[in-house]
Amino acid sequence: EPEVTQTPSHQVTQMGQEVILRCVPISNHLYFYWYRQILGQKVEFLVSFYNNEISEKSEIFDDQFSVERPDGSNFTLKIRSTKLEDSAMYFCASKGTGSYNSPLHFGNGTRLTVT
Amino acid sequence: LAKTTQPISMDSYEGQEVNITCSHNNIATNDYITWYQQFPSQGPRFIIQGYKTKVTNEVASLFIPADRKSSTLSLPRVSLSDTAVYYCLVGDGGAGSARQLTFGSGTQLTVLP
């Protein structure tokens, strides 16, 4: 079964550094999402992306965050200047168009640790 | 966005049937109901989705009453490996746009031997 893959599985960075989290969605999917989950808390929506532009974003997704689909396969989340509170699991998800309401398919996440 | 309410936690024993109910009183006409399972340090995994009445697949059943203001996920004969957090999501996905789907707090199911 096709999967959403995320790299790296674990990223450690210093406060103030830029990080790029990478995702390869399922190949025929057109809707892309980033979610995050702080340890012990619920899964929070960050941003959704369709047709090469952001569809929706949450209040968490401020100017420090950006997303990009640089080619036909990758979908990236960039944090320009990381803060301690950005430490979390970041999940990428994609969604197909075969049916009107196809479910989200999630990757296994990148654990970001900001020190 | 339709808000969902689920029990925070449930315990069960191996071999029992588990029913987890989710309330979504302000569900919209176009909204579907989707359940996900999440193990620690893994991404949520799709379990089942429905619009009305009953849906069954190889792992679960989903019961949705006529008013659609709630739904019940039924897991038959649970095992220890079913210990996880279960999330109920409500949304229409949005044909032509990537509308967000919002996770609630989920239900921590613990299956005991």
mmCIF file of all heavy atoms in Angstrom, chain A residues 31-33 35 37 41-43 45 48-50 55-56 89 91 95 100-104 106-108 111, chain B residues 30 32 36 38 41-44 46 49 87 91-101 103-105:
data_model
loop_
_atom_site.group_PDB
_atom_site.id
_atom_site.type_symbol
_atom_site.label_atom_id
_atom_site.label_comp_id
_atom_site.label_asym_id
_atom_site.label_seq_id
_atom_site.Cartn_x
_atom_site.Cartn_y
_atom_site.Cartn_z
ATOM 1 N N TYR A 31 -3.889 16.926 -2.375
ATOM 2 C CA TYR A 31 -4.133 17.766 -1.206
ATOM 3 C C TYR A 31 -3.091 17.404 -0.142
ATOM 4 O O TYR A 31 -2.927 16.227 0.176
ATOM 5 C CB TYR A 31 -5.538 17.522 -0.641
ATOM 6 C CG TYR A 31 -6.655 17.718 -1.646
ATOM 7 C CD1 TYR A 31 -7.129 16.655 -2.403
ATOM 8 C CD2 TYR A 31 -7.229 18.968 -1.825
ATOM 9 C CE1 TYR A 31 -8.149 16.835 -3.312
ATOM 10 C CE2 TYR A 31 -8.254 19.155 -2.739
ATOM 11 C CZ TYR A 31 -8.713 18.080 -3.479
ATOM 12 O OH TYR A 31 -9.717 18.255 -4.384
ATOM 13 N N PHE A 32 -2.466 18.407 0.415
ATOM 14 C CA PHE A 32 -1.356 18.158 1.327
ATOM 15 C C PHE A 32 -1.539 18.966 2.594
ATOM 16 O O PHE A 32 -2.084 20.073 2.576
ATOM 17 C CB PHE A 32 -0.025 18.514 0.663
ATOM 18 C CG PHE A 32 0.117 17.931 -0.710
ATOM 19 C CD1 PHE A 32 0.160 18.760 -1.814
ATOM 20 C CD2 PHE A 32 0.189 16.570 -0.896
ATOM 21 C CE1 PHE A 32 0.267 18.227 -3.090
ATOM 22 C CE2 PHE A 32 0.294 16.033 -2.168
ATOM 23 C CZ PHE A 32 0.334 16.864 -3.265
ATOM 24 N N TYR A 33 -1.066 18.394 3.697
ATOM 25 C CA TYR A 33 -1.285 18.982 5.015
ATOM 26 C C TYR A 33 -0.036 18.829 5.885
ATOM 27 O O TYR A 33 0.722 17.858 5.727
ATOM 28 C CB TYR A 33 -2.435 18.269 5.748
ATOM 29 C CG TYR A 33 -3.757 18.255 5.026
ATOM 30 C CD1 TYR A 33 -3.979 17.406 3.955
ATOM 31 C CD2 TYR A 33 -4.790 19.100 5.425
ATOM 32 C CE1 TYR A 33 -5.199 17.389 3.295
ATOM 33 C CE2 TYR A 33 -6.009 19.089 4.772
ATOM 34 C CZ TYR A 33 -6.206 18.231 3.706
ATOM 35 O OH TYR A 33 -7.414 18.219 3.060
ATOM 36 N N TYR A 35 0.558 18.822 10.108
ATOM 37 C CA TYR A 35 0.040 18.864 11.466
ATOM 38 C C TYR A 35 1.218 18.752 12.427
ATOM 39 O O TYR A 35 2.288 18.272 12.052
ATOM 40 C CB TYR A 35 -0.910 17.688 11.733
ATOM 41 C CG TYR A 35 -2.270 17.795 11.100
ATOM 42 C CD1 TYR A 35 -2.468 17.493 9.750
ATOM 43 C CD2 TYR A 35 -3.381 18.187 11.850
ATOM 44 C CE1 TYR A 35 -3.726 17.581 9.178
ATOM 45 C CE2 TYR A 35 -4.646 18.275 11.284
ATOM 46 C CZ TYR A 35 -4.806 17.965 9.943
ATOM 47 O OH TYR A 35 -6.048 18.059 9.377
ATOM 48 N N GLN A 37 2.227 17.769 16.736
ATOM 49 C CA GLN A 37 1.741 17.233 18.007
ATOM 50 C C GLN A 37 2.828 17.418 19.053
ATOM 51 O O GLN A 37 3.877 16.754 18.994
ATOM 52 C CB GLN A 37 1.364 15.759 17.871
ATOM 53 C CG GLN A 37 0.697 15.179 19.100
ATOM 54 C CD GLN A 37 0.182 13.772 18.849
ATOM 55 O OE1 GLN A 37 0.774 13.000 18.090
ATOM 56 N NE2 GLN A 37 -0.931 13.413 19.480
ATOM 57 N N GLN A 41 0.086 16.033 23.874
ATOM 58 C CA GLN A 41 -1.054 16.859 23.513
ATOM 59 C C GLN A 41 -1.715 16.352 22.235
ATOM 60 O O GLN A 41 -1.283 15.372 21.648
ATOM 61 C CB GLN A 41 -0.604 18.318 23.369
ATOM 62 C CG GLN A 41 -0.064 18.893 24.679
ATOM 63 C CD GLN A 41 0.228 20.371 24.584
ATOM 64 O OE1 GLN A 41 -0.336 21.085 23.754
ATOM 65 N NE2 GLN A 41 1.112 20.859 25.448
ATOM 66 N N LYS A 42 -2.743 17.041 21.813
ATOM 67 C CA LYS A 42 -3.485 16.555 20.644
ATOM 68 C C LYS A 42 -2.809 16.992 19.343
ATOM 69 O O LYS A 42 -1.936 17.852 19.317
ATOM 70 C CB LYS A 42 -4.926 17.050 20.694
ATOM 71 C CG LYS A 42 -5.091 18.541 20.586
ATOM 72 C CD LYS A 42 -6.571 18.904 20.674
ATOM 73 C CE LYS A 42 -6.788 20.379 20.515
ATOM 74 N NZ LYS A 42 -8.218 20.751 20.601
ATOM 75 N N VAL A 43 -3.254 16.370 18.267
ATOM 76 C CA VAL A 43 -2.752 16.696 16.943
ATOM 77 C C VAL A 43 -3.348 18.029 16.494
ATOM 78 O O VAL A 43 -4.568 18.209 16.498
ATOM 79 C CB VAL A 43 -3.134 15.578 15.943
ATOM 80 C CG1 VAL A 43 -2.636 15.917 14.552
ATOM 81 C CG2 VAL A 43 -2.579 14.234 16.405
ATOM 82 N N PHE A 45 -3.673 21.162 13.629
ATOM 83 C CA PHE A 45 -3.560 21.530 12.221
ATOM 84 C C PHE A 45 -2.640 22.735 12.071
ATOM 85 O O PHE A 45 -2.718 23.699 12.827
ATOM 86 C CB PHE A 45 -4.950 21.855 11.675
ATOM 87 C CG PHE A 45 -4.959 22.491 10.324
ATOM 88 C CD1 PHE A 45 -4.771 21.736 9.182
ATOM 89 C CD2 PHE A 45 -5.177 23.851 10.194
ATOM 90 C CE1 PHE A 45 -4.786 22.327 7.926
ATOM 91 C CE2 PHE A 45 -5.202 24.457 8.945
ATOM 92 C CZ PHE A 45 -5.002 23.687 7.808
ATOM 93 N N SER A 48 -2.844 23.640 5.114
ATOM 94 C CA SER A 48 -3.239 22.757 4.018
ATOM 95 C C SER A 48 -2.869 23.429 2.701
ATOM 96 O O SER A 48 -2.798 24.667 2.606
ATOM 97 C CB SER A 48 -4.727 22.437 4.078
ATOM 98 O OG SER A 48 -5.508 23.607 3.998
ATOM 99 N N PHE A 49 -2.670 22.607 1.684
ATOM 100 C CA PHE A 49 -2.070 23.087 0.438
ATOM 101 C C PHE A 49 -2.706 22.350 -0.724
ATOM 102 O O PHE A 49 -2.843 21.130 -0.705
ATOM 103 C CB PHE A 49 -0.570 22.774 0.514
ATOM 104 C CG PHE A 49 0.295 23.388 -0.537
ATOM 105 C CD1 PHE A 49 0.843 24.649 -0.347
ATOM 106 C CD2 PHE A 49 0.617 22.706 -1.701
ATOM 107 C CE1 PHE A 49 1.666 25.223 -1.299
ATOM 108 C CE2 PHE A 49 1.431 23.260 -2.653
ATOM 109 C CZ PHE A 49 1.966 24.517 -2.460
ATOM 110 N N TYR A 50 -3.124 23.115 -1.722
ATOM 111 C CA TYR A 50 -3.732 22.507 -2.902
ATOM 112 C C TYR A 50 -3.504 23.408 -4.094
ATOM 113 O O TYR A 50 -3.559 24.635 -3.974
ATOM 114 C CB TYR A 50 -5.241 22.307 -2.679
ATOM 115 C CG TYR A 50 -6.009 21.919 -3.926
ATOM 116 C CD1 TYR A 50 -5.871 20.651 -4.469
ATOM 117 C CD2 TYR A 50 -6.857 22.829 -4.561
ATOM 118 C CE1 TYR A 50 -6.557 20.286 -5.616
ATOM 119 C CE2 TYR A 50 -7.536 22.476 -5.711
ATOM 120 C CZ TYR A 50 -7.393 21.203 -6.229
ATOM 121 O OH TYR A 50 -8.074 20.845 -7.366
ATOM 122 N N SER A 55 -4.277 26.578 1.171
ATOM 123 C CA SER A 55 -5.729 26.655 1.246
ATOM 124 C C SER A 55 -6.181 27.235 2.577
ATOM 125 O O SER A 55 -7.042 28.101 2.620
ATOM 126 C CB SER A 55 -6.351 25.270 1.069
ATOM 127 O OG SER A 55 -6.239 24.827 -0.243
ATOM 128 N N GLU A 56 -5.629 26.702 3.646
ATOM 129 C CA GLU A 56 -5.967 27.180 4.985
ATOM 130 C C GLU A 56 -4.721 27.099 5.857
ATOM 131 O O GLU A 56 -3.844 26.272 5.614
ATOM 132 C CB GLU A 56 -7.057 26.296 5.622
ATOM 133 C CG GLU A 56 -8.451 26.520 5.114
ATOM 134 C CD GLU A 56 -9.474 25.776 5.965
ATOM 135 O OE1 GLU A 56 -9.246 24.608 6.283
ATOM 136 O OE2 GLU A 56 -10.502 26.380 6.298
ATOM 137 N N MET A 89 6.301 16.660 17.367
ATOM 138 C CA MET A 89 6.243 15.768 16.200
ATOM 139 C C MET A 89 5.508 16.512 15.099
ATOM 140 O O MET A 89 4.444 17.093 15.339
ATOM 141 C CB MET A 89 5.478 14.492 16.538
ATOM 142 C CG MET A 89 6.245 13.495 17.371
ATOM 143 S SD MET A 89 7.532 12.655 16.453
ATOM 144 C CE MET A 89 6.579 11.551 15.410
ATOM 145 N N PHE A 91 3.709 16.036 11.490
ATOM 146 C CA PHE A 91 3.146 15.024 10.595
ATOM 147 C C PHE A 91 2.718 15.666 9.276
ATOM 148 O O PHE A 91 2.024 16.677 9.263
ATOM 149 C CB PHE A 91 1.929 14.352 11.224
ATOM 150 C CG PHE A 91 2.231 13.548 12.455
ATOM 151 C CD1 PHE A 91 1.827 14.006 13.702
ATOM 152 C CD2 PHE A 91 2.899 12.342 12.366
ATOM 153 C CE1 PHE A 91 2.091 13.271 14.844
ATOM 154 C CE2 PHE A 91 3.164 11.601 13.512
ATOM 155 C CZ PHE A 91 2.773 12.071 14.750
ATOM 156 N N LYS A 95 -4.028 13.564 0.648
ATOM 157 C CA LYS A 95 -5.411 13.147 0.428
ATOM 158 C C LYS A 95 -5.619 13.054 -1.066
ATOM 159 O O LYS A 95 -5.188 13.912 -1.820
ATOM 160 C CB LYS A 95 -6.318 14.204 1.057
ATOM 161 C CG LYS A 95 -7.772 13.997 0.989
ATOM 162 C CD LYS A 95 -8.417 15.125 1.814
ATOM 163 C CE LYS A 95 -9.919 15.075 1.763
ATOM 164 N NZ LYS A 95 -10.507 15.212 0.442
ATOM 165 N N TYR A 100 -15.189 11.839 -3.216
ATOM 166 C CA TYR A 100 -15.467 13.188 -2.732
ATOM 167 C C TYR A 100 -14.827 13.466 -1.387
ATOM 168 O O TYR A 100 -14.395 14.562 -1.111
ATOM 169 C CB TYR A 100 -16.983 13.387 -2.619
ATOM 170 C CG TYR A 100 -17.379 14.742 -2.130
ATOM 171 C CD1 TYR A 100 -17.170 15.867 -2.910
ATOM 172 C CD2 TYR A 100 -17.946 14.913 -0.877
ATOM 173 C CE1 TYR A 100 -17.537 17.122 -2.464
ATOM 174 C CE2 TYR A 100 -18.312 16.164 -0.428
ATOM 175 C CZ TYR A 100 -18.107 17.259 -1.221
ATOM 176 O OH TYR A 100 -18.459 18.495 -0.779
ATOM 177 N N ASN A 101 -14.769 12.483 -0.565
ATOM 178 C CA ASN A 101 -14.230 12.717 0.771
ATOM 179 C C ASN A 101 -13.259 11.614 1.153
ATOM 180 O O ASN A 101 -13.478 10.877 2.106
ATOM 181 C CB ASN A 101 -15.374 12.811 1.780
ATOM 182 C CG ASN A 101 -14.939 13.521 3.039
ATOM 183 O OD1 ASN A 101 -14.344 14.580 2.968
ATOM 184 N ND2 ASN A 101 -15.187 12.919 4.178
ATOM 185 N N SER A 102 -12.182 11.500 0.443
ATOM 186 C CA SER A 102 -11.203 10.466 0.770
ATOM 187 C C SER A 102 -10.470 10.829 2.050
ATOM 188 O O SER A 102 -10.306 12.004 2.366
ATOM 189 C CB SER A 102 -10.227 10.308 -0.397
ATOM 190 O OG SER A 102 -9.585 11.522 -0.681
ATOM 191 N N PRO A 103 -10.027 9.841 2.817
ATOM 192 C CA PRO A 103 -9.399 10.133 4.110
ATOM 193 C C PRO A 103 -7.967 10.632 3.963
ATOM 194 O O PRO A 103 -7.336 10.477 2.927
ATOM 195 C CB PRO A 103 -9.422 8.775 4.814
ATOM 196 C CG PRO A 103 -9.389 7.790 3.703
ATOM 197 C CD PRO A 103 -10.164 8.409 2.576
ATOM 198 N N LEU A 104 -7.474 11.240 5.027
ATOM 199 C CA LEU A 104 -6.077 11.655 5.093
ATOM 200 C C LEU A 104 -5.180 10.440 5.316
ATOM 201 O O LEU A 104 -5.514 9.550 6.087
ATOM 202 C CB LEU A 104 -5.858 12.631 6.243
ATOM 203 C CG LEU A 104 -6.515 14.006 6.136
ATOM 204 C CD1 LEU A 104 -6.268 14.796 7.416
ATOM 205 C CD2 LEU A 104 -5.974 14.758 4.947
ATOM 206 N N PHE A 106 -1.396 9.735 6.682
ATOM 207 C CA PHE A 106 -0.330 10.400 7.417
ATOM 208 C C PHE A 106 0.986 9.656 7.304
ATOM 209 O O PHE A 106 1.024 8.420 7.225
ATOM 210 C CB PHE A 106 -0.685 10.475 8.909
ATOM 211 C CG PHE A 106 -1.735 11.501 9.239
ATOM 212 C CD1 PHE A 106 -3.072 11.206 9.100
ATOM 213 C CD2 PHE A 106 -1.362 12.760 9.696
ATOM 214 C CE1 PHE A 106 -4.042 12.155 9.401
ATOM 215 C CE2 PHE A 106 -2.314 13.716 10.008
ATOM 216 C CZ PHE A 106 -3.650 13.405 9.854
ATOM 217 N N GLY A 107 2.081 10.424 7.329
ATOM 218 C CA GLY A 107 3.391 9.842 7.514
ATOM 219 C C GLY A 107 3.630 9.572 8.994
ATOM 220 O O GLY A 107 2.790 9.889 9.837
ATOM 221 N N ASN A 108 4.781 9.000 9.295
ATOM 222 C CA ASN A 108 5.088 8.674 10.689
ATOM 223 C C ASN A 108 5.809 9.803 11.417
ATOM 224 O O ASN A 108 6.212 9.632 12.560
ATOM 225 C CB ASN A 108 5.887 7.381 10.783
ATOM 226 C CG ASN A 108 4.978 6.167 10.830
ATOM 227 O OD1 ASN A 108 3.850 6.256 11.318
ATOM 228 N ND2 ASN A 108 5.453 5.068 10.298
ATOM 229 N N ARG A 111 10.332 14.027 14.431
ATOM 230 C CA ARG A 111 10.405 14.565 15.790
ATOM 231 C C ARG A 111 11.424 15.692 15.794
ATOM 232 O O ARG A 111 12.611 15.471 15.569
ATOM 233 C CB ARG A 111 10.821 13.480 16.791
ATOM 234 C CG ARG A 111 10.907 14.010 18.227
ATOM 235 C CD ARG A 111 11.260 12.915 19.218
ATOM 236 N NE ARG A 111 10.258 11.866 19.239
ATOM 237 C CZ ARG A 111 9.096 11.944 19.872
ATOM 238 N NH1 ARG A 111 8.789 13.034 20.542
ATOM 239 N NH2 ARG A 111 8.257 10.928 19.851
ATOM 240 N N ASN B 30 -22.803 18.357 4.519
ATOM 241 C CA ASN B 30 -21.766 17.754 3.673
ATOM 242 C C ASN B 30 -20.684 17.016 4.449
ATOM 243 O O ASN B 30 -19.779 16.443 3.854
ATOM 244 C CB ASN B 30 -21.089 18.831 2.829
ATOM 245 C CG ASN B 30 -21.995 19.386 1.761
ATOM 246 O OD1 ASN B 30 -22.974 18.746 1.374
ATOM 247 N ND2 ASN B 30 -21.702 20.593 1.314
ATOM 248 N N TYR B 32 -18.565 14.358 6.522
ATOM 249 C CA TYR B 32 -18.382 12.939 6.761
ATOM 250 C C TYR B 32 -17.773 12.753 8.154
ATOM 251 O O TYR B 32 -17.206 13.680 8.724
ATOM 252 C CB TYR B 32 -17.439 12.337 5.715
ATOM 253 C CG TYR B 32 -18.091 12.044 4.399
ATOM 254 C CD1 TYR B 32 -18.492 13.071 3.552
ATOM 255 C CD2 TYR B 32 -18.309 10.735 3.988
ATOM 256 C CE1 TYR B 32 -19.097 12.808 2.337
ATOM 257 C CE2 TYR B 32 -18.902 10.451 2.775
ATOM 258 C CZ TYR B 32 -19.297 11.487 1.960
ATOM 259 O OH TYR B 32 -19.892 11.217 0.762
ATOM 260 N N TYR B 36 -9.731 7.817 13.265
ATOM 261 C CA TYR B 36 -8.319 7.503 13.131
ATOM 262 C C TYR B 36 -7.818 6.862 14.419
ATOM 263 O O TYR B 36 -8.334 7.106 15.504
ATOM 264 C CB TYR B 36 -7.492 8.771 12.864
ATOM 265 C CG TYR B 36 -7.702 9.368 11.498
ATOM 266 C CD1 TYR B 36 -8.767 10.227 11.257
ATOM 267 C CD2 TYR B 36 -6.847 9.067 10.441
ATOM 268 C CE1 TYR B 36 -8.968 10.767 10.001
ATOM 269 C CE2 TYR B 36 -7.049 9.607 9.185
ATOM 270 C CZ TYR B 36 -8.118 10.452 8.975
ATOM 271 O OH TYR B 36 -8.318 10.977 7.729
ATOM 272 N N GLN B 38 -4.150 6.217 16.629
ATOM 273 C CA GLN B 38 -2.771 6.671 16.732
ATOM 274 C C GLN B 38 -2.045 5.932 17.837
ATOM 275 O O GLN B 38 -2.488 5.946 18.990
ATOM 276 C CB GLN B 38 -2.688 8.184 16.982
ATOM 277 C CG GLN B 38 -1.252 8.703 16.929
ATOM 278 C CD GLN B 38 -1.113 10.173 17.218
ATOM 279 O OE1 GLN B 38 -1.899 10.762 17.936
ATOM 280 N NE2 GLN B 38 -0.080 10.791 16.658
ATOM 281 N N SER B 41 4.189 7.946 19.024
ATOM 282 C CA SER B 41 5.264 8.286 18.090
ATOM 283 C C SER B 41 4.993 7.837 16.656
ATOM 284 O O SER B 41 5.925 7.650 15.865
ATOM 285 C CB SER B 41 6.606 7.692 18.557
ATOM 286 O OG SER B 41 6.958 8.212 19.813
ATOM 287 N N GLN B 42 3.716 7.661 16.324
ATOM 288 C CA GLN B 42 3.361 7.350 14.946
ATOM 289 C C GLN B 42 2.293 8.317 14.474
ATOM 290 O O GLN B 42 1.600 8.942 15.280
ATOM 291 C CB GLN B 42 2.837 5.914 14.822
ATOM 292 C CG GLN B 42 3.889 4.849 15.077
ATOM 293 C CD GLN B 42 3.361 3.461 14.771
ATOM 294 O OE1 GLN B 42 2.440 3.290 13.968
ATOM 295 N NE2 GLN B 42 3.961 2.468 15.394
ATOM 296 N N GLY B 43 2.137 8.415 13.156
ATOM 297 C CA GLY B 43 1.085 9.253 12.620
ATOM 298 C C GLY B 43 -0.273 8.591 12.756
ATOM 299 O O GLY B 43 -0.371 7.369 12.843
ATOM 300 N N PRO B 44 -1.327 9.383 12.803
ATOM 301 C CA PRO B 44 -2.674 8.804 12.840
ATOM 302 C C PRO B 44 -2.913 7.909 11.628
ATOM 303 O O PRO B 44 -2.427 8.189 10.534
ATOM 304 C CB PRO B 44 -3.587 10.032 12.808
ATOM 305 C CG PRO B 44 -2.748 11.149 13.341
ATOM 306 C CD PRO B 44 -1.363 10.856 12.864
ATOM 307 N N PHE B 46 -5.890 5.912 9.349
ATOM 308 C CA PHE B 46 -7.314 5.834 9.021
ATOM 309 C C PHE B 46 -7.886 4.477 9.420
ATOM 310 O O PHE B 46 -7.298 3.432 9.148
ATOM 311 C CB PHE B 46 -7.489 6.059 7.523
ATOM 312 C CG PHE B 46 -8.872 5.772 7.006
ATOM 313 C CD1 PHE B 46 -9.896 6.691 7.196
ATOM 314 C CD2 PHE B 46 -9.154 4.592 6.336
ATOM 315 C CE1 PHE B 46 -11.163 6.451 6.707
ATOM 316 C CE2 PHE B 46 -10.426 4.327 5.852
ATOM 317 C CZ PHE B 46 -11.433 5.264 6.034
ATOM 318 N N GLN B 49 -14.661 5.379 7.754
ATOM 319 C CA GLN B 49 -15.352 6.633 7.469
ATOM 320 C C GLN B 49 -16.792 6.344 7.055
ATOM 321 O O GLN B 49 -17.050 5.328 6.396
ATOM 322 C CB GLN B 49 -14.640 7.364 6.334
ATOM 323 C CG GLN B 49 -15.225 8.703 5.937
ATOM 324 C CD GLN B 49 -14.460 9.321 4.769
ATOM 325 O OE1 GLN B 49 -14.595 8.909 3.634
ATOM 326 N NE2 GLN B 49 -13.648 10.305 5.072
ATOM 327 N N TYR B 87 -9.391 8.868 17.413
ATOM 328 C CA TYR B 87 -9.898 10.202 17.142
ATOM 329 C C TYR B 87 -11.098 10.131 16.205
ATOM 330 O O TYR B 87 -11.084 9.408 15.197
ATOM 331 C CB TYR B 87 -8.839 11.065 16.454
ATOM 332 C CG TYR B 87 -7.620 11.361 17.270
ATOM 333 C CD1 TYR B 87 -6.462 10.601 17.130
ATOM 334 C CD2 TYR B 87 -7.600 12.423 18.175
ATOM 335 C CE1 TYR B 87 -5.328 10.886 17.866
ATOM 336 C CE2 TYR B 87 -6.467 12.718 18.911
ATOM 337 C CZ TYR B 87 -5.340 11.951 18.754
ATOM 338 O OH TYR B 87 -4.211 12.237 19.486
ATOM 339 N N GLY B 91 -15.850 16.466 8.957
ATOM 340 C CA GLY B 91 -15.543 17.501 7.973
ATOM 341 C C GLY B 91 -15.906 17.012 6.591
ATOM 342 O O GLY B 91 -16.166 15.824 6.378
ATOM 343 N N ASP B 92 -15.887 17.943 5.651
ATOM 344 C CA ASP B 92 -16.256 17.528 4.295
ATOM 345 C C ASP B 92 -15.058 17.443 3.371
ATOM 346 O O ASP B 92 -15.179 17.124 2.217
ATOM 347 C CB ASP B 92 -17.302 18.473 3.704
ATOM 348 C CG ASP B 92 -16.740 19.878 3.437
ATOM 349 O OD1 ASP B 92 -15.583 20.146 3.775
ATOM 350 O OD2 ASP B 92 -17.498 20.692 2.887
ATOM 351 N N GLY B 93 -13.874 17.743 3.913
ATOM 352 C CA GLY B 93 -12.702 17.669 3.057
ATOM 353 C C GLY B 93 -12.658 18.793 2.052
ATOM 354 O O GLY B 93 -11.617 19.334 1.767
ATOM 355 N N GLY B 94 -13.807 19.111 1.501
ATOM 356 C CA GLY B 94 -13.845 20.249 0.591
ATOM 357 C C GLY B 94 -13.392 19.902 -0.800
ATOM 358 O O GLY B 94 -12.219 19.988 -1.129
ATOM 359 N N ALA B 95 -14.303 19.513 -1.662
ATOM 360 C CA ALA B 95 -13.912 19.240 -3.042
ATOM 361 C C ALA B 95 -13.336 20.502 -3.654
ATOM 362 O O ALA B 95 -13.930 21.568 -3.577
ATOM 363 C CB ALA B 95 -15.135 18.782 -3.825
ATOM 364 N N GLY B 96 -12.154 20.400 -4.214
ATOM 365 C CA GLY B 96 -11.544 21.550 -4.853
ATOM 366 C C GLY B 96 -10.729 22.408 -3.910
ATOM 367 O O GLY B 96 -10.121 23.381 -4.336
ATOM 368 N N SER B 97 -10.715 22.069 -2.639
ATOM 369 C CA SER B 97 -9.860 22.822 -1.718
ATOM 370 C C SER B 97 -9.437 21.891 -0.614
ATOM 371 O O SER B 97 -10.074 20.886 -0.355
ATOM 372 C CB SER B 97 -10.604 24.030 -1.140
ATOM 373 O OG SER B 97 -11.614 23.607 -0.243
ATOM 374 N N ALA B 98 -8.369 22.227 0.073
ATOM 375 C CA ALA B 98 -7.828 21.357 1.115
ATOM 376 C C ALA B 98 -8.246 21.901 2.470
ATOM 377 O O ALA B 98 -7.432 22.398 3.224
ATOM 378 C CB ALA B 98 -6.321 21.282 0.997
ATOM 379 N N ARG B 99 -9.516 21.826 2.763
ATOM 380 C CA ARG B 99 -9.989 22.345 4.054
ATOM 381 C C ARG B 99 -9.444 21.486 5.182
ATOM 382 O O ARG B 99 -9.288 20.284 5.069
ATOM 383 C CB ARG B 99 -11.516 22.345 4.114
ATOM 384 C CG ARG B 99 -12.116 23.391 3.226
ATOM 385 C CD ARG B 99 -13.576 23.602 3.524
ATOM 386 N NE ARG B 99 -14.230 24.142 2.350
ATOM 387 C CZ ARG B 99 -15.409 23.758 1.902
ATOM 388 N NH1 ARG B 99 -16.071 22.833 2.533
ATOM 389 N NH2 ARG B 99 -15.913 24.299 0.823
ATOM 390 N N GLN B 100 -9.189 22.147 6.289
ATOM 391 C CA GLN B 100 -8.586 21.447 7.404
ATOM 392 C C GLN B 100 -9.555 20.470 8.043
ATOM 393 O O GLN B 100 -10.760 20.665 8.016
ATOM 394 C CB GLN B 100 -8.117 22.452 8.454
ATOM 395 C CG GLN B 100 -9.244 23.244 9.096
ATOM 396 C CD GLN B 100 -8.732 24.063 10.266
ATOM 397 O OE1 GLN B 100 -8.398 23.531 11.311
ATOM 398 N NE2 GLN B 100 -8.670 25.376 10.075
ATOM 399 N N LEU B 101 -9.011 19.424 8.571
ATOM 400 C CA LEU B 101 -9.739 18.523 9.448
ATOM 401 C C LEU B 101 -9.138 18.675 10.835
ATOM 402 O O LEU B 101 -7.919 18.646 10.996
ATOM 403 C CB LEU B 101 -9.630 17.084 8.959
ATOM 404 C CG LEU B 101 -10.379 16.803 7.649
ATOM 405 C CD1 LEU B 101 -10.051 15.424 7.129
ATOM 406 C CD2 LEU B 101 -11.880 16.946 7.869
ATOM 407 N N PHE B 103 -8.537 17.713 14.745
ATOM 408 C CA PHE B 103 -8.520 16.627 15.722
ATOM 409 C C PHE B 103 -8.975 17.152 17.076
ATOM 410 O O PHE B 103 -8.568 18.223 17.504
ATOM 411 C CB PHE B 103 -7.103 16.065 15.865
ATOM 412 C CG PHE B 103 -6.678 15.177 14.741
ATOM 413 C CD1 PHE B 103 -6.285 15.713 13.531
ATOM 414 C CD2 PHE B 103 -6.688 13.804 14.888
ATOM 415 C CE1 PHE B 103 -5.903 14.891 12.484
ATOM 416 C CE2 PHE B 103 -6.293 12.969 13.852
ATOM 417 C CZ PHE B 103 -5.902 13.510 12.646
ATOM 418 N N GLY B 104 -9.810 16.346 17.732
ATOM 419 C CA GLY B 104 -10.144 16.633 19.118
ATOM 420 C C GLY B 104 -9.114 15.987 20.026
ATOM 421 O O GLY B 104 -8.007 15.650 19.598
ATOM 422 N N SER B 105 -9.490 15.806 21.266
ATOM 423 C CA SER B 105 -8.553 15.245 22.246
ATOM 424 C C SER B 105 -8.414 13.731 22.134
ATOM 425 O O SER B 105 -7.485 13.150 22.665
ATOM 426 C CB SER B 105 -8.992 15.617 23.658
ATOM 427 O OG SER B 105 -8.979 17.021 23.810
#
